[in-house]
């Protein structure tokens, strides 16, 4: 069985590097090395930044693919209409086991991401920047990057910046989940769809985009749209970051210009010459066969034309020696377990679909197959977030891509091939093993005031449990940084005012270094406060 991908796998580049420039020199580009490699960033006005994004056809690189320029204008318009300062959020929450490209950028090129985010913040007149991450390594890297620029969440700063930790789960990376986590709630979809551009962090208009998207914006701002367009396709200029895993000898993250044949990228990672299938777009994506692989190039349009998807940039081939349906069942069970548990299609439909696929594989016959198709159809389009839709797409693609295997299982009781676990999934207990950075703070309870309401245990059950006599029992542990927001909320919510948070260890000093050079104050939304 394959183990989970490392946080930072091997990184390769096809052609000239843009996002990965300097990776051949150092493991991580600190601010000094970042400026040596990429050079200073010239000021960009707000209107020009939106035009730049439109000229390079910049869309979100997290899977949704929404045009960045349109999102920027929507946030600016909402902020001006309401007369409030907007918020900028970098979504580095990469909870899918097959994706590592954002993690690579957050770990190795954090300042390129911050360049793009700070350009957007300046353009919008934002005074708050949040970076959401899922892993310990990315939290360490981004906190260090903010410190290298002299940025922090202290009051009185022109721009307050902080890092927020979200769980390593599929649903935690959705925009609404990230905003809910930044607001101090659970990293789960709220169950109702509200545009972040209208109401996001703290109710303010919020520009939330993927980490790679901000890095691409920073590259384009330095070299200009004309030079940016010299790389890749005319319709989709520039490069994309892909995570290649599955049946490959060298799992990797690769930066590749659009238009490069997909088969070349797979060969680079050591994929089988004739894969049984290739999952494109990750676990919310689509399977394509070996014929489509030879026809497709790396681009959204090309992959869509052969039934695939670029999505979040995860590409996973499987070889002819493994049971494709069995491999898909492992992913199906994981998708079902990732439910937010907030709506019927997700909480009930996905486990039923995974069970239906198991019935088909185990010889349930045509009746089991028909039942699976009905369940999958019932899930699609009815969820409170995008997880049921993406999972239903994976189920439907599996059924249509492996028809020969399906016939063998339905009619003959199996295909005779083993399940080798070639598609990466987290190991059991993987989330609990990962630790966070300590905040240097502890939670204390004044027992002369505590009345045993128990709200604190509901908010931070990892640190506080209710004991047998109905009163809270506090763990003798330093609050991890990613739980600090919830711990503060528990203190505020205590009806008896019995809780407090105290510093027990001095945090490491933050080096004072200059942030991004001040840009032109003539910005999209900077005229209002």
């Amino acid at each position: 069985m394959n183990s989970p991908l490392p946080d930072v796998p091997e990184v390769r580049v096809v052609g000239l590097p843009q996002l990965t420039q300097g990776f051949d020199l150092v493991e991580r580009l600190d601010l000094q090395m970042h400026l040596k490699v990429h050079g200073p960033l010239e000021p960009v006005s707000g209107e020009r930044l939106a035009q730049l994004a439109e000229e390079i056809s910049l869309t979100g690189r997290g899977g949704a693919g929404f045009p960045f320029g349109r999102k920027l204008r929507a946030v600016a318009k909402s902020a001006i209409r309401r007369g409030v300062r907007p918020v900028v959020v970098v979504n580095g929450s990469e909870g899918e086991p097959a994706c590592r490209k954002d993690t690579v950028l957050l770990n190795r090129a954090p300042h390129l991401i911050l360049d793009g985010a700070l350009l957007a913040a300046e353009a919008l007149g934002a005074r708050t920047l949040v970076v959401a991450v899922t892993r310990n390594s990315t939290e360490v890297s981004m906190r260090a990057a903010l410190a290298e620029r002299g940025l922090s969440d202290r009051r009185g700063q022109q721009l307050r910046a902080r890092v927020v930790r979200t769980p390593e789960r599929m649903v935690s990376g959705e925009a609404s989940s990230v905003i809910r986590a930044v607001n101090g709630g659970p990293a789960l979809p709220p169950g109702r769809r509200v545009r972040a551009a209208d109401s996001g962090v703290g109710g303010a208009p919020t520009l939330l985009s993927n980490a790679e998207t901000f890095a691409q914006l920073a590259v384009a701002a330095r070299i200009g749209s004309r030079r940016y367009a010299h790389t890749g396709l005319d319709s989709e200029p520039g490069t994309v970051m892909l995570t290649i895993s599955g049946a490959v000898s060298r799992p990797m993250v690769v930066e590749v210009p659009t238009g490069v044949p997909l088969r070349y990228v797979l060969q680079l990672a050591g994929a089988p010459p004739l894969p049984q299938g290739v999952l494109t777009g990750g676990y919310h994506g689509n399977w394509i066969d070996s014929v489509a692989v030879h026809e497709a190039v790396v681009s959204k349009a090309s992959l869509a034309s052969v039934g695939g998807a670029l999505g979040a940039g995860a590409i996973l081939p499987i070889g002819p020696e493994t049971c494709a349906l069995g491999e898909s069942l492992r992913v199906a069970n994981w998708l079902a377990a990732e439910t937010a548990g907030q709506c019927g299609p997700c909480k009930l439909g996905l486990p039923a679909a995974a069970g239906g696929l198991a019935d088909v594989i185990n010889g349930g016959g045509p009746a089991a197959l028909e039942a699976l198709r009905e369940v999958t159809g019932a899930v699609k389009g009815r969820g409170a977030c995008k997880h049921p839709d993406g999972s239903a797409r994976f189920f439907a693609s599996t059924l249509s891509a492996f028809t020969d295997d399906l016939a063998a299982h339905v009619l003959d009781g199996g295909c005779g091939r083993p399940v080798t676990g070639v598609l990466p999934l987290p190991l059991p207990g993987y989330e609990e093993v990962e630790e966070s950075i300590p905040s240097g703070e502890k939670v204390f309870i004044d027992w002369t005031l505590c009345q045993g309401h128990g709200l604190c245990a509901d908010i931070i059950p990892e640190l506080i449990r209710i004991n047998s006599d109905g009163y809270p029992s506090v763990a003798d542990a330093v609050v991890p940084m990613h739980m600090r927001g919830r711990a503060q909320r528990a203190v505020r919510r205590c009806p008896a005012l019995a809780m407090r948070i105290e510093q027990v260890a001095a945090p490491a000093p933050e080096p004072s270094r200059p942030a991004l050079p001040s840009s032109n104050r003539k910005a999209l939304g900077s005229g209002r406060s």
Side-chain angles (χ1 to χ4, degrees):
M1 293 286 186
N2 280 14
S3 60
L5 291 173
D7 278 12
V8 182
E10 178 184 359
V11 179
R12 298 288 298 274
V13 61
V14 177
L16 296 176
Q18 291 188 355
L19 303 179
T20 59
Q21 191 174 355
F23 281 21
D24 57 333
L25 302 175
V26 292
E27 283 299 309
R28 179 185 180 275
L29 280 74
D30 61 14
L31 182 58
Q32 183 178 7
M33 181 59 74
H34 167 75
L35 292 174
K36 285 182 179 179
V37 169
H38 292 282
L41 186 58
E42 295 297 324
V44 180
S45 70
E47 179 59 30
R48 178 62 196 133
L49 193 65
Q51 291 175 354
L52 175 66
E54 291 165 351
E55 288 168 1
I56 65 172
S57 302
L58 181 61
T59 58
R61 300 300 177 91
F66 193 83
F68 184 85
R70 194 190 308 174
K71 186 183 293 186
L72 188 68
R73 293 182 188 279
V75 173
K77 183 177 179 180
S78 180
I80 292 171
R81 184 181 70 250
R82 294 176 54 192
V84 297
R85 293 279 187 181
V87 176
V88 174
V89 177
V90 177
N91 188 0
S93 299
E94 200 167 41
E96 184 171 343
C99 293
R100 288 294 184 274
K101 53 103 173 175
D102 286 326
T103 300
V104 163
L105 290 175
L106 290 162
N107 273 287
R108 301 196 61 182
H111 289 285
L112 198 61
I113 297 168
L114 287 179
D115 278 350
L118 290 169
L119 279 174
E122 185 76 23
L124 291 167
R127 293 294 177 263
T128 303
L129 169 66
V130 182
V131 183
V133 298
T134 52
R135 297 186 175 92
N136 193 54
S137 63
T138 50
E139 185 179 1
V140 170
S141 178
M142 293 311 299
R143 288 190 184 280
L146 292 180
E148 287 163 8
R149 290 176 180 257
L151 294 172
S152 72
D153 197 26
R154 294 192 181 96
R155 293 183 182 274
Q157 293 208 354
Q158 185 178 7
L159 177 72
R160 297 180 64 177
R162 68 184 190 271
V163 177
V164 171
R165 180 80 171 265
T166 62
E168 194 171 336
R169 295 192 59 199
M170 190 76 161
V171 295
S172 298
E174 191 187 46
S176 61
S177 299
V178 172
I179 289 174
R180 198 176 179 190
V182 173
N183 283 333
L188 296 173
R192 57 187 180 88
R193 300 187 180 183
V194 178
R195 283 202 326 161
D198 295 325
S199 179
V201 174
T206 299
L207 176 71
L208 182 146
S209 203
N210 170 262
E212 183 193 341
T213 312
F214 283 113
Q216 294 282 2
L217 183 68
V219 169
R222 278 185 168 87
I223 67 177
S225 59
R226 185 170 300 179
R227 183 177 162 194
Y228 186 96
H230 288 167
T231 301
L233 300 169
D234 291 341
S235 57
E236 298 179 36
T239 65
V240 295
M241 297 285 284
L242 302 175
T243 309
I244 315 296
S245 63
V248 297
S249 59
R250 301 170 66 183
M252 64 176 59
V253 168
V254 57
E255 182 183 11
V256 56
T258 55
V260 169
L262 179 60
R263 64 180 181 273
Y264 176 78
V265 179
L266 290 172
Q267 289 170 3
L268 192 67
L274 287 174
Q276 183 180 180
V278 175
L279 183 59
T280 60
Y283 295 157
H284 277 176
N286 294 323
W287 290 99
I288 60 175
D289 59 23
S290 57
V291 175
V293 169
H294 281 265
E295 293 176 354
V297 300
V298 176
S299 81
K300 288 186 294 184
S302 176
L303 285 169
S305 71
V306 297
L310 184 59
I315 307 293
L316 303 101
I318 60 172
E321 72 287 344
T322 187
C323 174
L325 294 180
E327 297 291 346
S328 297
L329 177 60
R330 293 178 63 247
V331 175
N333 287 329
W334 178 80
L335 289 171
E338 287 295 287
T339 173
Q342 298 182 142
C343 67
C346 194
K347 184 178 181 179
L348 304 176
L350 296 187
L357 182 58
D359 290 342
V360 170
I361 293 174
N362 293 326
L369 178 59
E370 184 59 31
L372 174 58
R373 293 188 193 278
E374 287 183 8
V375 170
T376 303
V379 167
K380 188 176 180 181
R382 297 180 56 216
C385 71
K386 297 177 183 177
H387 182 56
D389 282 357
S391 301
R393 182 163 50 249
F394 173 81
F395 281 108
S397 177
T398 299
L399 295 181
S400 62
F402 303 110
T403 52
D404 290 345
D405 276 15
L406 200 58
H409 280 273
V410 170
L411 302 176
D412 300 329
C415 65
R417 288 174 294 185
V419 177
T420 58
V422 71
L423 301 178
L425 290 173
L427 293 173
Y430 179 72
E431 296 87 349
E432 285 74 19
V433 171
E434 187 127 22
E435 297 180 353
S436 179
I437 303 170
S439 66
E441 298 173 339
K442 283 187 176 182
V443 174
F444 295 92
I445 294 179
D446 185 339
W447 301 112
T448 63
L449 298 175
C450 180
Q451 298 174 9
H453 292 94
L455 292 179
C456 53
D458 292 335
I459 297 173
I460 45 172
E462 300 92 338
L463 296 176
I464 300 178
R465 302 289 176 89
I466 300 299
N467 58 28
S468 58
D469 60 3
Y471 282 82
S473 175
V474 184
D476 185 21
V478 174
V479 178
M481 287 299 295
H482 72 277
M483 293 183 191
R484 190 166 177 261
R486 284 193 289 145
Q488 291 172 337
R489 185 156 62 98
V491 170
R492 293 194 301 269
R493 294 280 181 88
C494 179
L497 303 178
M499 292 185 65
R500 68 185 189 277
I501 298 176
E502 290 185 2
Q503 190 78 34
V504 295
E510 295 182 352
S512 179
R513 298 191 183 184
L516 185 74
S518 296
S519 64
N520 193 331
R521 296 290 172 181
K522 185 180 179 182
L524 276 170
S526 60
R528 305 291 292 272
S529 61

